[in-house]
Amino acid sequence: MYLILFGAPGVGKGTQAKILSEKFSIPHISTGDILREAVKNGSPIGLEAKKIMNAGQLVPDEIMIEIIRETLAEERCKNGFILDGYPRTTAQAESLTRLFRKLTISDYALICLEANDEEVVKRLTARRACKSCRAIFSLSEIENDVHCPICGAENSFYQRKDDTEEVIRTRLEVFQSSTKPVKNFYKNKNKLLVVNGLNPIENVSSEIIKGLNQMFPQKNY
Ligand code: AMP
């Protein structure tokens, strides 16, 4: 299965990608996570990406295209993957189409999760992550916790630098201007599935599965 999770920041792409990745035993490829790892390691890409990410802007296409080309060539991606956060520009989408053609991948879908800006700002300002296992929580879920409920790490919660209201507003503007056209790119290819991202997590997952079964009736997901 080859899926692309698409939508504004904070709409729940990472949460759904994780659920689908476990359900179908295929890797969750988050370009945001790959870049944050590069920043943490101080690699050349990380050094270039750090400022751009903290400002809520997009890392240049050439860098992202190369990261995805290398990642999708890995053995673990051979039987499918879930892309989260890529493509974010039409140039990335065009390049991915060429890469899919080269890898003879034709049964793919872009799942577009939709939500309004105010809900997204509310979710992102309350978002916290565990440094140790990368699990994501809303503040209300971990308010009195010292230990991560998933991995048990102590005092491991942190807020991403780009989850402040000012940067979130920039990220939403970038989404509108540079990323949104990607949706039509896949609509024109008949590869688009639109799902309301505001519903409870389990309902969003079942809507996705239902939609995939309609798109690929021969597969029975
Ligand atoms: P995310 O974790 O998906 O919200 O990504 C965090 C940040 O990483 C974004 O705001 C961008 O600065 C950068 N980034 C992630 N994926 C891409 C991409 N496909 N193209 C350009 N920049 C990206």
Side-chain angles (χ1 to χ4, degrees):
M1 169 183 288
Y2 304 92
L3 298 178
I4 303 166
L5 277 170
F6 181 82
V11 75
K13 299 187 294 291
T15 303
Q16 293 302 326
K18 193 162 177 294
I19 292 171
L20 295 168
S21 153
E22 277 163 20
K23 182 172 166 65
F24 297 113
S25 304
I26 48 176
H28 168 197
I29 312 292
S30 154
T31 44
D33 282 349
I34 293 173
L35 290 169
R36 279 183 288 278
E37 194 63 26
V39 171
K40 202 167 102 193
N41 298 336
S43 72
I45 286 179
L47 292 176
E48 185 165 350
K50 188 175 176 179
K51 257 201 180 148
I52 301 173
M53 293 171 75
N54 286 346
Q57 300 292 343
L58 294 181
V59 172
D61 284 335
E62 314 79 76
I63 294 181
M64 298 315 303
I65 287 170
E66 186 54 21
I67 287 177
I68 283 298
R69 201 187 57 76
E70 279 177 16
T71 306
L72 299 193
E74 289 171 15
E75 185 62 25
R76 67 189 174 113
C77 292
K78 231 181 59 192
N79 296 317
F81 46 76
I82 299 176
L83 285 176
D84 161 13
Y86 188 95
R88 259 178 158 100
T89 63
T90 307
Q92 291 178 15
E94 282 165 352
S95 152
L96 189 63
T97 302
R98 288 192 294 273
L99 188 57
F100 278 180
R101 209 171 292 137
K102 219 164 116 192
L103 298 171
T104 62
I105 293 171
S106 56
D107 53 347
Y108 61 91
L110 180 123
I111 301 160
C112 175
L113 300 179
E114 300 212 300
N116 61 57
D117 281 7
E118 289 325 302
E119 177 62 24
V120 156
V121 173
K122 218 164 72 191
R123 282 188 189 185
L124 286 181
T125 45
R127 179 162 78 174
R128 297 294 181 273
C130 169
K131 247 184 246 158
S132 179
C133 70
R134 292 224 193 100
I136 291 165
F137 306 95
S138 179
L139 255 187
S140 59
E141 296 172 307
I142 50 160
E143 233 157 13
N144 300 313
D145 291 357
V146 176
H147 295 98
C148 169
I150 304 290
C151 73
E154 198 174 332
N155 293 324
S156 62
F157 304 121
Y158 75 103
Q159 182 177 30
R160 275 171 47 174
K161 280 214 174 73
D162 57 352
D163 277 347
T164 59
E165 181 155 354
E166 193 194 344
V167 181
I168 293 166
R169 298 268 175 211
T170 305
R171 288 161 66 201
L172 286 170
E173 277 166 31
V174 169
F175 177 76
Q176 283 300 331
S177 58
S178 304
T179 306
K180 205 133 180 233
V182 170
K183 181 178 165 186
N184 264 338
F185 182 91
Y186 287 90
K187 185 171 181 225
N188 293 337
K189 289 185 178 296
N190 268 330
K191 298 287 189 188
L192 174 68
L193 172 64
V194 179
V195 172
N196 182 353
L198 288 178
N199 288 329
I201 292 172
E202 314 77 63
N203 298 17
V204 176
S205 309
S206 44
E207 275 295 301
I208 292 175
I209 305 294
K210 202 171 102 192
L212 288 174
N213 278 320
Q214 281 165 359
M215 264 177 117
F216 304 105
Q218 72 285 13
K219 298 252 180 184
N220 196 18
Y221 288 126

PDB file of all heavy atoms in Angstrom, residues 117-153:
ATOM      1  N   ASP A 117      -8.670  26.558  10.204  1.00  0.00           N
ATOM      2  CA  ASP A 117      -7.443  27.132  10.777  1.00  0.00           C
ATOM      3  C   ASP A 117      -7.510  27.290  12.295  1.00  0.00           C
ATOM      4  O   ASP A 117      -6.540  27.020  12.996  1.00  0.00           O
ATOM      5  CB  ASP A 117      -7.165  28.518  10.170  1.00  0.00           C
ATOM      6  CG  ASP A 117      -6.551  28.389   8.787  1.00  0.00           C
ATOM      7  OD1 ASP A 117      -6.477  27.247   8.286  1.00  0.00           O
ATOM      8  OD2 ASP A 117      -6.160  29.422   8.211  1.00  0.00           O
ATOM      9  N   GLU A 118      -8.653  27.716  12.815  1.00  0.00           N
ATOM     10  CA  GLU A 118      -8.716  27.972  14.262  1.00  0.00           C
ATOM     11  C   GLU A 118      -8.537  26.690  15.057  1.00  0.00           C
ATOM     12  O   GLU A 118      -7.859  26.663  16.080  1.00  0.00           O
ATOM     13  CB  GLU A 118     -10.029  28.692  14.639  1.00  0.00           C
ATOM     14  CG  GLU A 118     -10.072  30.137  14.179  1.00  0.00           C
ATOM     15  CD  GLU A 118      -8.709  30.859  14.237  1.00  0.00           C
ATOM     16  OE1 GLU A 118      -8.124  30.928  15.325  1.00  0.00           O
ATOM     17  OE2 GLU A 118      -8.216  31.340  13.188  1.00  0.00           O
ATOM     18  N   GLU A 119      -9.107  25.596  14.572  1.00  0.00           N
ATOM     19  CA  GLU A 119      -8.953  24.315  15.250  1.00  0.00           C
ATOM     20  C   GLU A 119      -7.484  23.880  15.211  1.00  0.00           C
ATOM     21  O   GLU A 119      -6.925  23.382  16.189  1.00  0.00           O
ATOM     22  CB  GLU A 119      -9.851  23.264  14.561  1.00  0.00           C
ATOM     23  CG  GLU A 119      -9.733  21.863  15.107  1.00  0.00           C
ATOM     24  CD  GLU A 119     -10.144  21.726  16.568  1.00  0.00           C
ATOM     25  OE1 GLU A 119     -10.936  22.567  17.049  1.00  0.00           O
ATOM     26  OE2 GLU A 119      -9.657  20.796  17.243  1.00  0.00           O
ATOM     27  N   VAL A 120      -6.850  24.108  14.074  1.00  0.00           N
ATOM     28  CA  VAL A 120      -5.450  23.731  13.894  1.00  0.00           C
ATOM     29  C   VAL A 120      -4.547  24.519  14.864  1.00  0.00           C
ATOM     30  O   VAL A 120      -3.652  23.965  15.502  1.00  0.00           O
ATOM     31  CB  VAL A 120      -5.084  23.987  12.412  1.00  0.00           C
ATOM     32  CG1 VAL A 120      -3.628  24.203  12.208  1.00  0.00           C
ATOM     33  CG2 VAL A 120      -5.602  22.860  11.535  1.00  0.00           C
ATOM     34  N   VAL A 121      -4.810  25.820  14.986  1.00  0.00           N
ATOM     35  CA  VAL A 121      -4.005  26.645  15.903  1.00  0.00           C
ATOM     36  C   VAL A 121      -4.194  26.149  17.336  1.00  0.00           C
ATOM     37  O   VAL A 121      -3.224  25.998  18.088  1.00  0.00           O
ATOM     38  CB  VAL A 121      -4.394  28.141  15.790  1.00  0.00           C
ATOM     39  CG1 VAL A 121      -3.690  28.969  16.851  1.00  0.00           C
ATOM     40  CG2 VAL A 121      -4.061  28.678  14.400  1.00  0.00           C
ATOM     41  N   LYS A 122      -5.444  25.839  17.694  1.00  0.00           N
ATOM     42  CA  LYS A 122      -5.739  25.345  19.046  1.00  0.00           C
ATOM     43  C   LYS A 122      -4.979  24.034  19.301  1.00  0.00           C
ATOM     44  O   LYS A 122      -4.326  23.858  20.320  1.00  0.00           O
ATOM     45  CB  LYS A 122      -7.254  25.099  19.159  1.00  0.00           C
ATOM     46  CG  LYS A 122      -7.827  25.480  20.500  1.00  0.00           C
ATOM     47  CD  LYS A 122      -9.338  25.602  20.480  1.00  0.00           C
ATOM     48  CE  LYS A 122     -10.004  24.245  20.361  1.00  0.00           C
ATOM     49  NZ  LYS A 122     -11.444  24.329  20.084  1.00  0.00           N
ATOM     50  N   ARG A 123      -5.031  23.125  18.330  1.00  0.00           N
ATOM     51  CA  ARG A 123      -4.370  21.824  18.499  1.00  0.00           C
ATOM     52  C   ARG A 123      -2.851  21.985  18.609  1.00  0.00           C
ATOM     53  O   ARG A 123      -2.209  21.359  19.438  1.00  0.00           O
ATOM     54  CB  ARG A 123      -4.639  20.933  17.285  1.00  0.00           C
ATOM     55  CG  ARG A 123      -5.992  20.307  17.267  1.00  0.00           C
ATOM     56  CD  ARG A 123      -6.013  19.312  16.134  1.00  0.00           C
ATOM     57  NE  ARG A 123      -7.341  18.803  15.897  1.00  0.00           N
ATOM     58  CZ  ARG A 123      -7.599  17.844  15.012  1.00  0.00           C
ATOM     59  NH1 ARG A 123      -6.642  17.308  14.297  1.00  0.00           N
ATOM     60  NH2 ARG A 123      -8.820  17.408  14.832  1.00  0.00           N
ATOM     61  N   LEU A 124      -2.297  22.825  17.734  1.00  0.00           N
ATOM     62  CA  LEU A 124      -0.826  22.900  17.682  1.00  0.00           C
ATOM     63  C   LEU A 124      -0.226  23.619  18.881  1.00  0.00           C
ATOM     64  O   LEU A 124       0.842  23.238  19.356  1.00  0.00           O
ATOM     65  CB  LEU A 124      -0.368  23.584  16.384  1.00  0.00           C
ATOM     66  CG  LEU A 124      -0.498  22.732  15.129  1.00  0.00           C
ATOM     67  CD1 LEU A 124       0.011  23.491  13.924  1.00  0.00           C
ATOM     68  CD2 LEU A 124       0.242  21.421  15.256  1.00  0.00           C
ATOM     69  N   THR A 125      -0.909  24.657  19.389  1.00  0.00           N
ATOM     70  CA  THR A 125      -0.347  25.357  20.552  1.00  0.00           C
ATOM     71  C   THR A 125      -0.395  24.439  21.779  1.00  0.00           C
ATOM     72  O   THR A 125       0.389  24.608  22.701  1.00  0.00           O
ATOM     73  CB  THR A 125      -1.072  26.696  20.840  1.00  0.00           C
ATOM     74  OG1 THR A 125      -2.477  26.485  20.764  1.00  0.00           O
ATOM     75  CG2 THR A 125      -0.677  27.772  19.866  1.00  0.00           C
ATOM     76  N   ALA A 126      -1.309  23.451  21.770  1.00  0.00           N
ATOM     77  CA  ALA A 126      -1.405  22.525  22.911  1.00  0.00           C
ATOM     78  C   ALA A 126      -0.608  21.243  22.663  1.00  0.00           C
ATOM     79  O   ALA A 126      -0.626  20.325  23.471  1.00  0.00           O
ATOM     80  CB  ALA A 126      -2.861  22.182  23.167  1.00  0.00           C
ATOM     81  N   ARG A 127       0.116  21.162  21.534  1.00  0.00           N
ATOM     82  CA  ARG A 127       0.806  19.913  21.202  1.00  0.00           C
ATOM     83  C   ARG A 127       2.124  19.782  21.966  1.00  0.00           C
ATOM     84  O   ARG A 127       2.906  20.727  22.026  1.00  0.00           O
ATOM     85  CB  ARG A 127       1.068  19.875  19.692  1.00  0.00           C
ATOM     86  CG  ARG A 127       1.802  18.633  19.237  1.00  0.00           C
ATOM     87  CD  ARG A 127       1.672  18.408  17.757  1.00  0.00           C
ATOM     88  NE  ARG A 127       2.543  19.252  16.963  1.00  0.00           N
ATOM     89  CZ  ARG A 127       2.656  19.132  15.644  1.00  0.00           C
ATOM     90  NH1 ARG A 127       1.941  18.244  14.993  1.00  0.00           N
ATOM     91  NH2 ARG A 127       3.463  19.925  14.969  1.00  0.00           N
ATOM     92  N   ARG A 128       2.349  18.619  22.535  1.00  0.00           N
ATOM     93  CA  ARG A 128       3.627  18.323  23.172  1.00  0.00           C
ATOM     94  C   ARG A 128       4.103  16.974  22.638  1.00  0.00           C
ATOM     95  O   ARG A 128       3.297  16.117  22.281  1.00  0.00           O
ATOM     96  CB  ARG A 128       3.494  18.229  24.703  1.00  0.00           C
ATOM     97  CG  ARG A 128       3.052  19.536  25.378  1.00  0.00           C
ATOM     98  CD  ARG A 128       4.100  20.650  25.262  1.00  0.00           C
ATOM     99  NE  ARG A 128       3.676  21.866  25.918  1.00  0.00           N
ATOM    100  CZ  ARG A 128       2.941  22.828  25.357  1.00  0.00           C
ATOM    101  NH1 ARG A 128       2.524  22.703  24.099  1.00  0.00           N
ATOM    102  NH2 ARG A 128       2.610  23.896  26.031  1.00  0.00           N
ATOM    103  N   ALA A 129       5.429  16.785  22.604  1.00  0.00           N
ATOM    104  CA  ALA A 129       5.960  15.512  22.129  1.00  0.00           C
ATOM    105  C   ALA A 129       6.910  14.952  23.177  1.00  0.00           C
ATOM    106  O   ALA A 129       7.467  15.703  23.982  1.00  0.00           O
ATOM    107  CB  ALA A 129       6.689  15.723  20.811  1.00  0.00           C
ATOM    108  N   CYS A 130       7.081  13.628  23.148  1.00  0.00           N
ATOM    109  CA  CYS A 130       8.060  13.002  24.050  1.00  0.00           C
ATOM    110  C   CYS A 130       9.388  12.929  23.303  1.00  0.00           C
ATOM    111  O   CYS A 130       9.451  12.404  22.189  1.00  0.00           O
ATOM    112  CB  CYS A 130       7.584  11.600  24.434  1.00  0.00           C
ATOM    113  SG  CYS A 130       8.866  10.658  25.268  1.00  0.00           S
ATOM    114  N   LYS A 131      10.430  13.457  23.974  1.00  0.00           N
ATOM    115  CA  LYS A 131      11.772  13.478  23.380  1.00  0.00           C
ATOM    116  C   LYS A 131      12.273  12.068  23.120  1.00  0.00           C
ATOM    117  O   LYS A 131      13.030  11.816  22.201  1.00  0.00           O
ATOM    118  CB  LYS A 131      12.730  14.115  24.403  1.00  0.00           C
ATOM    119  CG  LYS A 131      13.300  15.454  23.974  1.00  0.00           C
ATOM    120  CD  LYS A 131      14.289  15.918  25.023  1.00  0.00           C
ATOM    121  CE  LYS A 131      13.751  17.160  25.679  1.00  0.00           C
ATOM    122  NZ  LYS A 131      14.256  17.484  26.986  1.00  0.00           N
ATOM    123  N   SER A 132      11.831  11.164  23.986  1.00  0.00           N
ATOM    124  CA  SER A 132      12.397   9.836  23.946  1.00  0.00           C
ATOM    125  C   SER A 132      11.732   8.948  22.879  1.00  0.00           C
ATOM    126  O   SER A 132      12.419   8.360  22.043  1.00  0.00           O
ATOM    127  CB  SER A 132      12.249   9.232  25.332  1.00  0.00           C
ATOM    128  OG  SER A 132      12.742   7.961  25.346  1.00  0.00           O
ATOM    129  N   CYS A 133      10.374   8.859  22.881  1.00  0.00           N
ATOM    130  CA  CYS A 133       9.729   7.945  21.924  1.00  0.00           C
ATOM    131  C   CYS A 133       9.004   8.685  20.812  1.00  0.00           C
ATOM    132  O   CYS A 133       8.425   8.063  19.932  1.00  0.00           O
ATOM    133  CB  CYS A 133       8.762   7.015  22.651  1.00  0.00           C
ATOM    134  SG  CYS A 133       7.290   7.855  23.292  1.00  0.00           S
ATOM    135  N   ARG A 134       8.999  10.028  20.854  1.00  0.00           N
ATOM    136  CA  ARG A 134       8.378  10.875  19.824  1.00  0.00           C
ATOM    137  C   ARG A 134       6.849  10.838  19.816  1.00  0.00           C
ATOM    138  O   ARG A 134       6.218  11.372  18.897  1.00  0.00           O
ATOM    139  CB  ARG A 134       8.841  10.460  18.407  1.00  0.00           C
ATOM    140  CG  ARG A 134      10.279  10.725  18.128  1.00  0.00           C
ATOM    141  CD  ARG A 134      10.366  11.336  16.729  1.00  0.00           C
ATOM    142  NE  ARG A 134      11.715  11.364  16.234  1.00  0.00           N
ATOM    143  CZ  ARG A 134      12.211  10.490  15.380  1.00  0.00           C
ATOM    144  NH1 ARG A 134      11.454   9.531  14.908  1.00  0.00           N
ATOM    145  NH2 ARG A 134      13.457  10.608  14.979  1.00  0.00           N
ATOM    146  N   ALA A 135       6.251  10.165  20.809  1.00  0.00           N
ATOM    147  CA  ALA A 135       4.782  10.153  20.854  1.00  0.00           C
ATOM    148  C   ALA A 135       4.291  11.589  21.006  1.00  0.00           C
ATOM    149  O   ALA A 135       4.969  12.434  21.589  1.00  0.00           O
ATOM    150  CB  ALA A 135       4.302   9.302  22.018  1.00  0.00           C
ATOM    151  N   ILE A 136       3.109  11.828  20.449  1.00  0.00           N
ATOM    152  CA  ILE A 136       2.555  13.183  20.465  1.00  0.00           C
ATOM    153  C   ILE A 136       1.321  13.218  21.363  1.00  0.00           C
ATOM    154  O   ILE A 136       0.492  12.301  21.331  1.00  0.00           O
ATOM    155  CB  ILE A 136       2.204  13.620  19.029  1.00  0.00           C
ATOM    156  CG1 ILE A 136       3.505  13.809  18.260  1.00  0.00           C
ATOM    157  CG2 ILE A 136       1.401  14.910  19.007  1.00  0.00           C
ATOM    158  CD1 ILE A 136       3.330  13.894  16.782  1.00  0.00           C
ATOM    159  N   PHE A 137       1.229  14.266  22.173  1.00  0.00           N
ATOM    160  CA  PHE A 137       0.093  14.405  23.095  1.00  0.00           C
ATOM    161  C   PHE A 137      -0.469  15.802  23.003  1.00  0.00           C
ATOM    162  O   PHE A 137       0.216  16.741  22.589  1.00  0.00           O
ATOM    163  CB  PHE A 137       0.545  14.182  24.542  1.00  0.00           C
ATOM    164  CG  PHE A 137       1.257  12.883  24.756  1.00  0.00           C
ATOM    165  CD1 PHE A 137       2.642  12.817  24.714  1.00  0.00           C
ATOM    166  CD2 PHE A 137       0.533  11.722  24.983  1.00  0.00           C
ATOM    167  CE1 PHE A 137       3.296  11.610  24.890  1.00  0.00           C
ATOM    168  CE2 PHE A 137       1.183  10.515  25.163  1.00  0.00           C
ATOM    169  CZ  PHE A 137       2.574  10.458  25.116  1.00  0.00           C
ATOM    170  N   SER A 138      -1.721  15.928  23.501  1.00  0.00           N
ATOM    171  CA  SER A 138      -2.266  17.255  23.731  1.00  0.00           C
ATOM    172  C   SER A 138      -2.043  17.532  25.218  1.00  0.00           C
ATOM    173  O   SER A 138      -2.097  16.618  26.032  1.00  0.00           O
ATOM    174  CB  SER A 138      -3.751  17.242  23.386  1.00  0.00           C
ATOM    175  OG  SER A 138      -4.256  18.516  23.635  1.00  0.00           O
ATOM    176  N   LEU A 139      -1.765  18.805  25.553  1.00  0.00           N
ATOM    177  CA  LEU A 139      -1.458  19.171  26.941  1.00  0.00           C
ATOM    178  C   LEU A 139      -2.416  18.544  27.938  1.00  0.00           C
ATOM    179  O   LEU A 139      -1.999  18.069  28.992  1.00  0.00           O
ATOM    180  CB  LEU A 139      -1.546  20.697  27.080  1.00  0.00           C
ATOM    181  CG  LEU A 139      -0.243  21.476  27.168  1.00  0.00           C
ATOM    182  CD1 LEU A 139      -0.551  22.929  27.482  1.00  0.00           C
ATOM    183  CD2 LEU A 139       0.655  20.892  28.258  1.00  0.00           C
ATOM    184  N   SER A 140      -3.718  18.542  27.602  1.00  0.00           N
ATOM    185  CA  SER A 140      -4.716  18.045  28.549  1.00  0.00           C
ATOM    186  C   SER A 140      -4.512  16.553  28.856  1.00  0.00           C
ATOM    187  O   SER A 140      -4.922  16.078  29.906  1.00  0.00           O
ATOM    188  CB  SER A 140      -6.114  18.278  28.000  1.00  0.00           C
ATOM    189  OG  SER A 140      -6.236  17.608  26.776  1.00  0.00           O
ATOM    190  N   GLU A 141      -3.856  15.815  27.960  1.00  0.00           N
ATOM    191  CA  GLU A 141      -3.670  14.372  28.184  1.00  0.00           C
ATOM    192  C   GLU A 141      -2.530  14.084  29.162  1.00  0.00           C
ATOM    193  O   GLU A 141      -2.453  12.995  29.713  1.00  0.00           O
ATOM    194  CB  GLU A 141      -3.330  13.660  26.858  1.00  0.00           C
ATOM    195  CG  GLU A 141      -4.423  13.706  25.822  1.00  0.00           C
ATOM    196  CD  GLU A 141      -3.946  13.152  24.487  1.00  0.00           C
ATOM    197  OE1 GLU A 141      -2.906  13.613  23.973  1.00  0.00           O
ATOM    198  OE2 GLU A 141      -4.623  12.266  23.963  1.00  0.00           O
ATOM    199  N   ILE A 142      -1.614  15.036  29.329  1.00  0.00           N
ATOM    200  CA  ILE A 142      -0.409  14.749  30.124  1.00  0.00           C
ATOM    201  C   ILE A 142      -0.175  15.779  31.230  1.00  0.00           C
ATOM    202  O   ILE A 142       0.894  15.818  31.833  1.00  0.00           O
ATOM    203  CB  ILE A 142       0.848  14.730  29.209  1.00  0.00           C
ATOM    204  CG1 ILE A 142       0.896  15.981  28.329  1.00  0.00           C
ATOM    205  CG2 ILE A 142       0.912  13.465  28.389  1.00  0.00           C
ATOM    206  CD1 ILE A 142       2.246  16.302  27.778  1.00  0.00           C
ATOM    207  N   GLU A 143      -1.216  16.583  31.502  1.00  0.00           N
ATOM    208  CA  GLU A 143      -1.083  17.720  32.405  1.00  0.00           C
ATOM    209  C   GLU A 143      -0.314  17.420  33.683  1.00  0.00           C
ATOM    210  O   GLU A 143       0.590  18.157  34.061  1.00  0.00           O
ATOM    211  CB  GLU A 143      -2.481  18.249  32.756  1.00  0.00           C
ATOM    212  CG  GLU A 143      -2.607  19.713  32.498  1.00  0.00           C
ATOM    213  CD  GLU A 143      -4.051  20.110  32.311  1.00  0.00           C
ATOM    214  OE1 GLU A 143      -4.957  19.311  32.618  1.00  0.00           O
ATOM    215  OE2 GLU A 143      -4.280  21.222  31.842  1.00  0.00           O
ATOM    216  N   ASN A 144      -0.698  16.305  34.358  1.00  0.00           N
ATOM    217  CA  ASN A 144      -0.067  16.034  35.656  1.00  0.00           C
ATOM    218  C   ASN A 144       0.986  14.929  35.571  1.00  0.00           C
ATOM    219  O   ASN A 144       1.428  14.406  36.579  1.00  0.00           O
ATOM    220  CB  ASN A 144      -1.141  15.649  36.691  1.00  0.00           C
ATOM    221  CG  ASN A 144      -2.137  16.789  36.841  1.00  0.00           C
ATOM    222  OD1 ASN A 144      -1.744  17.945  36.972  1.00  0.00           O
ATOM    223  ND2 ASN A 144      -3.422  16.473  36.766  1.00  0.00           N
ATOM    224  N   ASP A 145       1.377  14.570  34.355  1.00  0.00           N
ATOM    225  CA  ASP A 145       2.313  13.448  34.206  1.00  0.00           C
ATOM    226  C   ASP A 145       3.763  13.895  34.256  1.00  0.00           C
ATOM    227  O   ASP A 145       4.148  14.888  33.627  1.00  0.00           O
ATOM    228  CB  ASP A 145       2.090  12.744  32.846  1.00  0.00           C
ATOM    229  CG  ASP A 145       0.763  12.012  32.806  1.00  0.00           C
ATOM    230  OD1 ASP A 145       0.070  12.017  33.826  1.00  0.00           O
ATOM    231  OD2 ASP A 145       0.446  11.457  31.745  1.00  0.00           O
ATOM    232  N   VAL A 146       4.578  13.132  34.990  1.00  0.00           N
ATOM    233  CA  VAL A 146       6.026  13.362  34.990  1.00  0.00           C
ATOM    234  C   VAL A 146       6.647  12.395  33.981  1.00  0.00           C
ATOM    235  O   VAL A 146       7.645  12.691  33.334  1.00  0.00           O
ATOM    236  CB  VAL A 146       6.603  13.106  36.409  1.00  0.00           C
ATOM    237  CG1 VAL A 146       8.114  13.254  36.406  1.00  0.00           C
ATOM    238  CG2 VAL A 146       5.955  14.049  37.415  1.00  0.00           C
ATOM    239  N   HIS A 147       6.001  11.222  33.851  1.00  0.00           N
ATOM    240  CA  HIS A 147       6.526  10.200  32.947  1.00  0.00           C
ATOM    241  C   HIS A 147       5.675  10.115  31.681  1.00  0.00           C
ATOM    242  O   HIS A 147       4.454  10.285  31.747  1.00  0.00           O
ATOM    243  CB  HIS A 147       6.537   8.834  33.633  1.00  0.00           C
ATOM    244  CG  HIS A 147       7.476   8.787  34.799  1.00  0.00           C
ATOM    245  ND1 HIS A 147       7.063   8.946  36.091  1.00  0.00           N
ATOM    246  CD2 HIS A 147       8.820   8.629  34.846  1.00  0.00           C
ATOM    247  CE1 HIS A 147       8.108   8.876  36.894  1.00  0.00           C
ATOM    248  NE2 HIS A 147       9.189   8.697  36.166  1.00  0.00           N
ATOM    249  N   CYS A 148       6.330   9.802  30.561  1.00  0.00           N
ATOM    250  CA  CYS A 148       5.600   9.615  29.306  1.00  0.00           C
ATOM    251  C   CYS A 148       4.702   8.377  29.434  1.00  0.00           C
ATOM    252  O   CYS A 148       5.203   7.293  29.780  1.00  0.00           O
ATOM    253  CB  CYS A 148       6.584   9.444  28.146  1.00  0.00           C
ATOM    254  SG  CYS A 148       5.798   8.904  26.623  1.00  0.00           S
ATOM    255  N   PRO A 149       3.394   8.485  29.170  1.00  0.00           N
ATOM    256  CA  PRO A 149       2.513   7.314  29.307  1.00  0.00           C
ATOM    257  C   PRO A 149       2.824   6.211  28.299  1.00  0.00           C
ATOM    258  O   PRO A 149       2.411   5.074  28.475  1.00  0.00           O
ATOM    259  CB  PRO A 149       1.112   7.883  29.062  1.00  0.00           C
ATOM    260  CG  PRO A 149       1.273   9.282  28.607  1.00  0.00           C
ATOM    261  CD  PRO A 149       2.688   9.708  28.809  1.00  0.00           C
ATOM    262  N   ILE A 150       3.576   6.517  27.263  1.00  0.00           N
ATOM    263  CA  ILE A 150       3.899   5.482  26.263  1.00  0.00           C
ATOM    264  C   ILE A 150       5.199   4.763  26.613  1.00  0.00           C
ATOM    265  O   ILE A 150       5.252   3.545  26.701  1.00  0.00           O
ATOM    266  CB  ILE A 150       4.021   6.090  24.835  1.00  0.00           C
ATOM    267  CG1 ILE A 150       2.742   6.842  24.455  1.00  0.00           C
ATOM    268  CG2 ILE A 150       4.366   5.013  23.797  1.00  0.00           C
ATOM    269  CD1 ILE A 150       1.512   6.005  24.207  1.00  0.00           C
ATOM    270  N   CYS A 151       6.289   5.527  26.837  1.00  0.00           N
ATOM    271  CA  CYS A 151       7.595   4.862  27.026  1.00  0.00           C
ATOM    272  C   CYS A 151       8.117   4.987  28.455  1.00  0.00           C
ATOM    273  O   CYS A 151       9.131   4.384  28.800  1.00  0.00           O
ATOM    274  CB  CYS A 151       8.621   5.396  26.030  1.00  0.00           C
ATOM    275  SG  CYS A 151       9.173   7.073  26.415  1.00  0.00           S
ATOM    276  N   GLY A 152       7.468   5.799  29.288  1.00  0.00           N
ATOM    277  CA  GLY A 152       7.888   5.910  30.693  1.00  0.00           C
ATOM    278  C   GLY A 152       9.020   6.891  30.940  1.00  0.00           C
ATOM    279  O   GLY A 152       9.423   7.087  32.095  1.00  0.00           O
ATOM    280  N   ALA A 153       9.563   7.518  29.904  1.00  0.00           N
ATOM    281  CA  ALA A 153      10.676   8.458  30.097  1.00  0.00           C
ATOM    282  C   ALA A 153      10.256   9.599  31.037  1.00  0.00           C
ATOM    283  O   ALA A 153       9.092  10.024  31.031  1.00  0.00           O
ATOM    284  CB  ALA A 153      11.118   9.021  28.752  1.00  0.00           C
TER     285      ALA A 153
END
